[in-house]
Amino acid sequence: MPAALHEWNLAPREARALQTQLAKRLELTDRLAPVEHIAGVDIGFEDGGDTTRAAVVVLKWDPATAPDLSVVEQVVHREPTRMPYIPGLLSFREIPAALGAFEQLSVRPELVMVDGQGIAHPRRLGVAAHLGLWLDLPTIGIAKSRLYGKHAEVGEQRGDWVPLYAGNDIIGAVLRSRANVKPVFVSPGHRITLGTSLAWVTRCLGGTKLPEPTRLADRLASRRDQRK
DNA sequence: GCGACAG
DNA sequence: ATCTTGTCGC
């Protein structure tokens, strides 16, 4: 049987066991090639959830104009939704479609920002971490809300952040990306540290809550701006 | 047993 | 995530 079929059509029990195994393969140290292109990934749904829409936006990294970055490529890929949303198993629902979008990409980014958690997950394998292993690329998870971990209250100033803990381990950061707005949850996915993750997210932040890569991918994956 | 729970 | 217009606030 095709490995891909095996990998994604798992019962919750098996999916959780696989996450525990895959998490052992994560590299939580920096192993990035010089960054020239950064991709943003997000998934949306249509037809009441029957169709999954994956959006990937590739931006050219330019420290001279950042956070204003030019879009060099963008792809939207649709396919039938294969499984429901189950807290903790999001990657099994979203990654197949995300991979479909990446296959259509002509540019291979050196860094990928994903809408969701990296290792800030019960078994340390949020969608960003899982996707990083599949793509073998550095990934950062930027979630709009918390899934796992404890933290103190974060300051009100833009840039303030507090660590996100799983026991004594720091698994991410709660970042005030913009004043007067709920903070975002940043966590490394694969081949990157939390410190480097925060540095890149901050560099890509332009007066908005989300960094440019995922902000633009969100817009593409969402239903309003980009219509059918 | 009772909550919590990315998107 | 998605269903959905106007409206309050910096």
Side-chain angles (χ1 to χ4, degrees):
Chain A
M1 306 227 206
L5 196 66
H6 258 321
E7 299 271 338
W8 309 111
N9 290 346
L10 298 175
R13 177 76 181 74
E14 282 63 51
R16 294 189 184 95
L18 177 59
Q19 292 181 317
T20 299
Q21 293 309 307
L22 291 177
K24 297 176 182 175
R25 297 204 202 182
L26 293 173
E27 287 178 40
L28 299 178
T29 51
D30 290 318
R31 183 158 78 80
L32 300 84
V35 177
E36 291 180 26
H37 295 95
I38 302 175
V41 186
D42 189 35
I43 277 65
F45 298 87
E46 304 177 339
D47 309 327
D50 294 337
T51 299
T52 298
R53 175 184 42 226
V56 179
V57 177
V58 178
L59 305 177
K60 170 133 191 55
W61 170 248
D62 183 348
T65 64
D68 289 318
L69 306 171
S70 58
V71 176
V72 298
E73 186 172 16
Q74 55 180 38
V75 169
V76 172
H77 169 77
R78 293 179 171 76
E79 60 175 62
T81 299
R82 52 180 82 197
M83 77 175 266
Y85 166 66
I86 298 175
L89 299 182
L90 183 67
S91 63
F92 293 88
R93 171 175 164 85
E94 303 193 336
I95 289 184
L99 293 176
F102 265 89
E103 286 175 12
Q104 293 174 52
L105 233 48
S106 61
V107 176
R108 170 119 171 138
E110 289 76 38
L111 177 62
V112 181
M113 293 190 184
V114 185
D115 190 277
Q117 313 289 350
I119 61 170
H121 175 282
R123 290 165 294 283
R124 309 292 185 279
L125 200 82
V127 62
H130 200 162
L131 183 61
L133 285 176
W134 263 87
L135 299 174
D136 187 27
L137 283 176
T139 53
I140 299 172
I142 297 108
K144 296 182 289 297
S145 62
R146 189 198 72 92
L147 166 66
Y148 189 77
K150 297 183 176 182
H151 64 88
E153 279 193 29
V154 60
E156 296 300 325
Q157 303 306 305
R158 179 173 182 278
D160 284 348
W161 66 274
V162 293
L164 180 61
Y165 292 96
N168 295 310
D169 299 325
I170 293 179
I171 57 176
V174 183
L175 172 70
R176 186 74 69 184
S177 54
R178 177 180 181 171
N180 306 309
V181 173
K182 290 297 181 185
V184 293
F185 293 72
V186 177
S187 59
H190 184 46
R191 293 175 55 177
I192 195 167
T193 60
L194 173 59
T196 302
S197 296
L198 281 171
W200 278 107
V201 168
T202 300
R203 286 195 276 258
C204 293
L205 229 38
T208 53
K209 167 173 181 167
L210 297 176
E212 285 301 278
T214 52
R215 186 182 73 79
L216 294 175
D218 251 313
R219 213 191 45 150
L220 258 191
S222 194
R223 182 157 202 173
R224 39 196 215 228
D225 187 282
Q226 284 290 318
R227 295 202 45 205
K228 284 186 180 178

